[in-house]
Amino acid sequence: MRVEQLVTFGHSRDACGDDWPLVGRERELAALDAVAADVLSGRSRVVQLEGSAGVGKSVLLSTWWERNEQFRVLRARCHPLERDFAFGAVRQLFKPLLAAVSETDRARLLEGSAAATLRALDDDAATDPLPEAANVTASTLRELDALVSRLSRRQPLLLAVDALQWIDQPSLRWLVHFVGRADSHPVLIAVTTRSAEVKRLDPLFAELVRPANCHTIVVEPLDVRGVGQLVRSLWGAEEPDEAFCAACHAATGGHPLFVRALLHQAQRSGVRPTTPFRDRIPTVMLSTLGGEISHRLCQASGEVVELARALAFLGDRKPPELLAAYCGTGRAVVLSAAEDLRSLGLLRADGDLRFTHLVVRDTVLGMLSPEELGAGHARAAQVSCLNGRPDEEVAAHLLAAGPVHGSWVLPVLRRAATQALHRGAPETAVTCLRSALNQPLDGAERARVLLELGTAASHYDAALAISCVTSALEELTDETARSDALGVLAYSLLLSRGSRTDLSSVDRKIAALCDRRTADSGAADRELTLRMSALRSWMEFERPSAGRPAPAPSPGTDDDLADRTAGERQLLAIRAFRALRAALPAPYVAGLIERASVNLPAFSHDLFPLHYFVAQTLLYLDELDTADQLNRHLTREISGRGMELLVSSLMLYQAGLALRRGNVTEALGTAQTAADQASSTGRIPYALTLDTIRIDALLAQGRTEAAERVAGTHSVAGQAEVAWERPRFLMSLAALRIAQGQPRAGLSLLRECGHHCDAAGTASPAMSPWRSRAAAAHLALGEAKPAHALVEQELDLARRCQIPRTLGVALRVAGRVTRGRQGLDMLAEAVSVLTPSPARLELARAFHDFGAALLQQDDRRGARTALRHGLDLAVGSGATALATRLGERLHLAGGRVGRSSGPGVGALTAGEERVGTLAAQGYSNKQIAELLVVSLRTVETHLTGAYRKLGITGRPHLAAALAQADRVRRGSGPADPWSVSR
């Protein structure tokens, strides 16, 4: 018997359908039951069913949930054509549910910021205008999380996603986002993936199915016993021979789809399940099955073949009218052809216009040449557009078709890109706009598309954004559009991984536009002029002109600026930052920054660089709580948006905040996380600043070799550009050289740092305390006179700027340089000034120097008190090098070192205390990570440190230990412990 005669399809039992019993899957069902038990106990889990096409993954999953009525099941089936549909899988999951509930229940489920959820789920909502200054993606992800949380509180939830390898990126991003934050919700995410098509290089895919998150069940072909069960199910009471079953297994490899196809036709051909018939069993593979499908289609009528192609191109469950338009026939002809397809076993028997299996679609498309595939998608695009299908659906066909021309194509692609941005899918928008560039465009139209493309790309790919917007600027003539382009370009340059040497050309473009607006200024142009001035000020800060410092501002010259418009607030923030650099009084700077940041809106390109200068000014003003709130706000706003460069920058800012608080361990961990999250294809933004933080933190831990390895990745001699990052790095490199016993080399680096600061107009020691560090180096070399001169300059500047940290640091070094009672008084003042500030590590250093000075004066009791407080602070900060020195001093003063490391809240870092307090209140690790906007690893590290310092073994004892330690802390020690006898 020929293979073609044996392997056919009929309608008594569909060879490709799901109406066969599930056999041989006891192991897989037990594994699913085990994962479900975890979920029903209140934990979110992910399970992956991985296997080859047709091995029965979907049937296994659906059979399992049909047996388990404890879950509410929401299902999505991904499709290759829908990979560019923003939140396509999410819409499949939730739209049927929301459509089925009452209006009251729908409103209850979507309470809060429901608009964000509707943008992802509602095609009509996606056409509304974009809300100004709103981070659509972040709010969409948060509201989807909230929707799932509400549903899971009613009943445990199963989110089943078939063919995950074809999922759209926004939906995949949400799944990863949810899994990373949902620890206490009874939600099971079950996905199926084809072994040969798993997207192993996609970081989001890898994150979702990594072993820490996901239990993977590999669905293998059936064994001989499983094949025997299928044989029994088909022949009923007739017991099959083992030899016949073994022959069927050998012919198919146990693959369920092939076994079913073989057995189906074997029965129809009169074959019995006995040994004499085993030689009539051929080998069945995917190519065999595909060949039979092709054979049957070739024998069918033209209408049937055309309908099969329409289904293959347009996808499942499309209305008959759309299929008829594609086929160029009427609805009745399509329905008649569908019955013929169903009689061939290629269409489902349940009445749905769906192929029985993806193998059928693959075979239909595989019969076409590349030219025919392109033409088929082009026709599908045109028909879909004429029939009012969603723009993203039309765009998906256009992208698959290759070049398609027509006046209708460009608007569709641009609208689809806008919808993608509404839904928070910039990658999809970029894909659509790149295709739009292949249309015949005039210069002005091409420039607009390039600007739209660059704006979308700036969400996640700075290099692409720079390229597109730079090209757009060559042809844009409208000055408002040029202003928008320059804003996007400046922002993208900020986050560019590579060198920003082309800033000078951008500066010239900004200056030219700014000059033209000034020459023809009017009330309507004032905002544009202010914005251009803000961008130019940012350029001056990014690459200060050597030898041409910006003019220092003076108090009392800001009456010309209100705080009503974005441009005015940008200029106020810039003036505040310039005033800070010029060492003007902190109250004056704080007043400006408060006016600039009141009700600070969400991040947008139009506001750049407002947030940038507000964040930098708050950092150096030591307004760390406000800076921390701003950073968390921005991080939440961009969470899940795919803006990995900006995420890394904000994480870097968080590391800088931790270091300024004195939380060395937290700073180092956060900086390392930022480095780990950087793309493997390039450097993260501000890599030099990242390594500056790492060097400082490593030195605080006494790890000079590790700090040297970090520093060795940067060549000081190769840094020809004068960037604001460089002086900071030089100070840290100098500290490393001094720690290595090379004070002369460190002093040379500090002098170079001072030269760059002078050239840039940075006078404030709050931003660059190079003088006090150089004074300490001179002191180590026995050069008292230059040390005195430098520290006097810094002390004068510090008193002018009125920032406690800055004044305390200058007083501490001045106290070391100055001998006798005057020096001791300066050290005491340093301790007093630093005590109310957030600079815990600087206070520990002041206690060290103060205690050492008291010890020299033979005031052992006062020295012990100071050194003990310093040791507590150093241990709590994770500054092990300083803690060691303090311990040695304390021992010389006759103190017991063990007291300083006892349990207590005072020994916890701020991060450990925050995390410990939330954990004691019952929050899970993932909930804490979401609330504090930190990684799960950071939460775990903080908890481990808190357990160790509090002397407990775990979370059950945390609340009591924190309460007891707090009582001990508040009930011991003098009210003003550093007012000690001298």
Side-chain angles (χ1 to χ4, degrees):
M1 181 180 294
R2 297 189 343 218
V3 170
E4 288 79 3
Q5 292 176 317
L6 179 64
V7 187
T8 58
F9 300 89
H11 48 81
S12 60
R13 169 167 279 179
D14 188 352
C16 284
D18 296 339
D19 54 344
W20 290 70
L22 184 72
V23 299
R25 298 303 186 196
E26 292 78 11
R27 176 186 65 85
E28 293 85 349
L29 290 170
L32 285 169
D33 286 338
V35 176
D38 274 352
V39 174
L40 293 173
S41 67
R43 296 180 56 197
S44 295
R45 293 293 304 275
V46 180
V47 63
Q48 175 186 208
L49 301 179
E50 181 181 348
S52 59
V55 80
K57 305 178 292 295
S58 301
V59 175
L60 171 61
L61 183 57
S62 61
T63 301
W64 175 78
W65 82 54
E66 287 169 1
R67 297 178 183 179
N68 193 329
E69 297 181 352
Q70 294 172 286
F71 288 90
R72 179 199 291 266
V73 181
L74 306 180
R75 184 172 184 177
R77 185 179 186 87
C78 305
H79 190 279
L81 194 61
E82 298 176 358
R83 280 178 287 192
D84 290 322
F85 285 18
F87 290 107
V90 165
R91 281 180 274 167
Q92 286 191 56
L93 288 170
F94 296 109
K95 281 188 70 174
L97 168 73
L98 294 177
V101 299
S102 66
E103 285 297 324
T104 302
D105 202 20
R106 176 184 171 94
R108 189 177 296 115
L109 287 172
L110 294 177
E111 64 184 9
S113 303
T117 308
L118 288 175
R119 275 193 294 273
L121 303 181
D122 194 333
D123 293 330
D124 294 331
T127 63
D128 296 337
L130 270 172
E132 290 186 12
N135 189 314
V136 178
T137 309
S139 57
T140 300
L141 297 184
R142 288 196 299 270
E143 286 305 313
L144 286 171
D145 287 352
L147 174 60
V148 172
S149 174
R150 292 172 191 131
L151 288 169
S152 66
R153 284 198 293 268
R154 300 180 177 187
Q155 182 181 355
L157 201 60
L158 169 63
L159 305 180
V161 182
D162 267 330
L164 185 71
Q165 69 275 3
W166 292 327
I167 193 171
D168 61 282
Q169 283 292 104
S171 294
L172 179 58
R173 186 177 296 119
W174 171 69
L175 287 175
V176 173
H177 179 273
F178 178 77
V179 169
R181 288 159 175 77
D183 188 37
S184 58
H185 301 300
V187 178
L188 173 59
I189 299 174
V191 301
T192 68
T193 57
R194 281 192 189 181
S195 303
E197 298 184 42
V198 171
K199 301 188 292 183
R200 302 186 186 279
L201 298 182
D202 186 327
L204 284 175
F205 187 97
E207 177 65 20
L208 181 66
V209 300
R210 69 186 178 99
N213 290 339
C214 177
H215 178 68
T216 296
I217 302 171
V218 178
V219 184
E220 303 282 2
L222 298 172
D223 56 16
V224 175
R225 178 174 170 272
V227 172
Q229 289 177 285
L230 283 180
V231 174
R232 290 185 186 90
S233 74
L234 190 62
W235 270 278
E238 188 172 356
E239 184 66 23
D241 290 349
E242 291 185 4
F244 181 85
C245 295
C248 292
H249 183 271
T252 60
H255 194 289
L257 179 63
F258 306 157
V259 173
R260 285 152 34 184
L262 184 149
L263 296 180
H264 170 79
Q265 185 59 30
Q267 187 188 52
R268 289 171 57 85
S269 302
V271 172
R272 311 305 305 168
T274 59
T275 301
F277 286 96
R278 66 180 179 179
D279 293 335
R280 297 175 61 182
I281 299 298
T283 298
V284 178
M285 296 180 296
L286 190 60
S287 59
T288 310
L289 208 56
E292 177 59 20
I293 294 170
S294 301
H295 175 71
R296 302 302 278 178
L297 283 173
C298 289
Q299 293 181 335
S301 67
E303 290 82 1
V304 171
V305 173
E306 193 64 21
L307 176 60
R309 291 181 178 179
L311 286 167
F313 281 112
L314 293 171
D316 296 334
R317 296 191 177 95
K318 293 300 184 292
E321 293 77 12
L322 182 64
L323 295 169
Y326 182 93
C327 297
T329 59
R331 187 175 189 275
V333 174
V334 164
L335 294 179
S336 175
E339 289 303 314
D340 291 342
L341 270 179
R342 197 167 283 116
S343 68
L344 294 175
L346 301 181
L347 213 60
R348 285 181 175 266
D350 57 10
D352 271 356
L353 293 175
R354 294 174 58 194
F355 288 129
T356 53
H357 197 277
L358 287 174
V359 170
V360 180
R361 177 184 186 272
D362 293 343
T363 301
V364 172
L365 295 178
M367 297 168 63
L368 303 176
S369 67
E371 293 77 13
E372 289 173 319
L373 286 172
H377 278 296
R379 179 169 179 76
Q382 187 172 30
V383 166
S384 298
C385 182
L386 292 173
N387 281 265
R389 301 296 297 177
D391 287 318
E392 65 177 356
E393 187 176 311
V394 180
H397 289 296
L398 290 172
L399 296 175
V404 178
H405 299 305
S407 59
W408 58 276
V409 174
L410 180 61
V412 165
L413 290 171
R414 293 176 74 176
R415 289 196 302 268
T418 300
Q419 289 175 358
L421 286 178
H422 270 86
R423 293 189 171 115
E427 305 97 333
T428 303
V430 165
T431 301
C432 292
L433 292 168
R434 273 179 160 163
S435 180
L437 288 175
N438 294 324
Q439 297 299 307
L441 307 171
D442 60 33
E445 203 168 36
R446 179 177 177 80
R448 287 194 295 271
V449 173
L450 279 169
L451 177 54
E452 292 171 12
L453 175 55
T455 303
S458 70
H459 287 65
Y460 68 98
D461 189 337
L464 175 60
I466 291 168
S467 174
C468 294
V469 177
T470 301
S471 299
L473 279 167
E474 295 177 359
E475 300 186 54
L476 284 172
T477 56
D478 179 75
E479 293 189 353
T480 300
R482 288 182 63 81
S483 170
D484 292 340
L486 287 168
V488 174
L489 182 57
Y491 166 79
S492 302
L493 287 167
L494 169 67
L495 298 182
S496 173
R497 291 186 177 98
S499 172
R500 295 186 287 277
T501 54
D502 50 353
L503 283 177
S504 58
S505 65
V506 179
D507 186 33
R508 287 193 296 272
K509 291 183 175 68
I510 293 174
L513 184 57
C514 189
D515 292 342
R516 284 202 300 273
R517 302 318 300 163
T518 302
D520 301 323
S521 61
D525 300 321
R526 182 172 182 268
E527 187 69 9
L528 180 59
T529 302
L530 291 175
R531 185 182 180 197
M532 290 299 97
S533 297
L535 288 175
R536 197 168 191 191
S537 296
W538 172 76
M539 291 288 178
E540 292 172 359
F541 176 59
E542 274 293 302
R543 289 292 182 271
S545 302
R548 293 179 58 189
S554 301
T557 61
D558 306 299
D559 295 338
D560 59 318
L561 285 178
D563 50 22
R564 292 185 296 269
T565 71
E568 289 172 338
R569 295 169 76 177
Q570 285 175 331
L571 263 294
L572 282 170
I574 290 166
R575 288 188 180 183
F577 186 74
R578 284 178 173 171
L580 177 73
R581 293 173 69 187
L584 294 187
Y588 168 69
V589 178
L592 288 175
I593 210 66
E594 183 177 356
R595 291 174 59 196
S597 58
V598 61
N599 295 322
L600 191 67
F603 172 84
S604 72
H605 292 105
D606 292 344
L607 293 172
F608 179 79
L610 173 59
H611 297 81
Y612 178 88
F613 282 113
V614 169
Q616 293 291 330
T617 305
L618 290 172
L619 180 74
Y620 292 113
L621 276 178
D622 251 13
E623 297 288 345
L624 302 188
D625 288 341
T626 306
D628 190 58
Q629 292 171 9
L630 172 63
N631 192 61
R632 294 182 192 283
H633 168 70
L634 291 175
T635 302
R636 284 192 296 269
E637 286 293 325
I638 67 168
S639 175
R641 189 172 176 177
M643 300 177 70
E644 68 273 11
L645 298 180
L646 187 52
V647 168
S648 296
S649 296
L650 291 174
M651 193 172 293
L652 182 59
Y653 185 71
Q654 186 68 36
L657 285 172
L659 191 61
R660 288 186 72 81
R661 289 186 188 276
N663 298 338
V664 175
T665 305
E666 180 181 345
L668 191 58
T670 305
Q672 187 59 52
T673 301
D676 292 343
Q677 290 187 358
S679 170
S680 59
T681 60
R683 298 171 64 80
I684 67 170
Y686 299 128
L688 197 60
T689 297
L690 171 68
D691 287 341
T692 297
I693 293 171
R694 295 168 70 189
I695 291 169
D696 288 344
L698 289 168
L699 289 178
Q701 294 181 342
R703 299 164 61 186
T704 54
E705 292 183 1
E708 178 61 43
R709 287 195 293 272
V710 174
T713 62
H714 301 278
S715 171
V716 177
Q719 296 173 19
E721 293 179 327
V722 182
W724 64 264
E725 292 179 281
R726 191 179 183 192
R728 298 181 188 175
F729 179 72
L730 290 172
M731 284 196 299
S732 298
L733 188 59
L736 173 59
R737 295 292 173 256
I738 292 170
Q740 292 170 332
Q742 305 173 48
R744 188 66 67 186
L747 188 57
S748 176
L749 290 166
L750 288 167
R751 285 172 179 158
E752 185 181 352
C753 171
H755 169 74
H756 290 310
C757 289
D758 291 342
T762 303
S764 174
M767 297 184 67
S768 184
W770 68 271
R771 296 175 183 85
S772 58
R773 298 192 184 194
H778 277 298
L779 192 62
L781 291 167
E783 301 168 353
K785 187 174 180 179
H788 272 287
L790 285 167
V791 81
E792 285 176 3
Q793 292 176 24
E794 181 154 319
L795 189 55
D796 179 62
L797 289 168
R799 291 194 188 279
R800 282 171 49 193
C801 68
Q802 301 176 25
I803 299 174
R805 176 199 301 269
T806 305
L807 180 57
V809 169
L811 283 166
R812 177 177 66 82
V813 179
R816 290 180 57 195
V817 171
T818 306
R819 295 184 179 277
R821 181 72 183 202
Q822 184 182 0
L824 197 61
D825 288 342
M826 286 181 171
L827 289 169
E829 186 182 358
V831 170
S832 178
V833 167
L834 288 168
T835 296
S837 79
R840 314 315 293 164
L841 185 53
E842 293 298 344
L843 179 57
R845 290 175 176 139
F847 271 128
H848 172 274
D849 292 348
F850 185 38
L854 289 171
L855 191 57
Q856 288 180 346
Q857 297 291 325
D858 204 27
D859 183 356
R860 290 177 174 270
R861 182 172 177 274
R864 287 195 297 270
T865 302
L867 293 169
R868 189 170 291 120
H869 284 300
L871 182 55
D872 285 339
L873 287 167
V875 170
S877 295
T880 51
L882 178 59
T884 300
R885 295 198 301 272
L886 281 158
E888 292 170 352
R889 295 276 189 185
L890 182 56
H891 178 71
L892 291 174
R896 295 175 57 189
V897 177
R899 279 189 59 188
S900 66
S901 58
V905 176
L908 302 181
T909 66
E912 289 168 348
E913 188 170 357
R914 286 196 297 268
V915 170
T917 301
L918 290 171
Q921 294 172 358
Y923 288 92
S924 68
N925 287 8
K926 287 185 178 179
Q927 288 172 324
I928 295 171
E930 182 174 11
L931 285 170
L932 299 182
V933 197
V934 296
S935 68
L936 190 59
R937 184 172 67 178
T938 299
V939 173
E940 293 166 349
T941 300
H942 286 335
L943 277 179
T944 301
Y947 295 159
R948 175 177 55 80
K949 293 175 183 179
L950 293 170
I952 59 176
T953 57
R955 189 183 289 256
H957 315 290
L958 188 56
L962 285 172
Q964 175 62 23
D966 190 54
R967 285 193 295 271
V968 171
R969 180 183 66 174
R970 288 185 283 108
S972 63
D976 188 9
W978 29 90
S979 296
V980 294
S981 170
R982 296 195 290 271

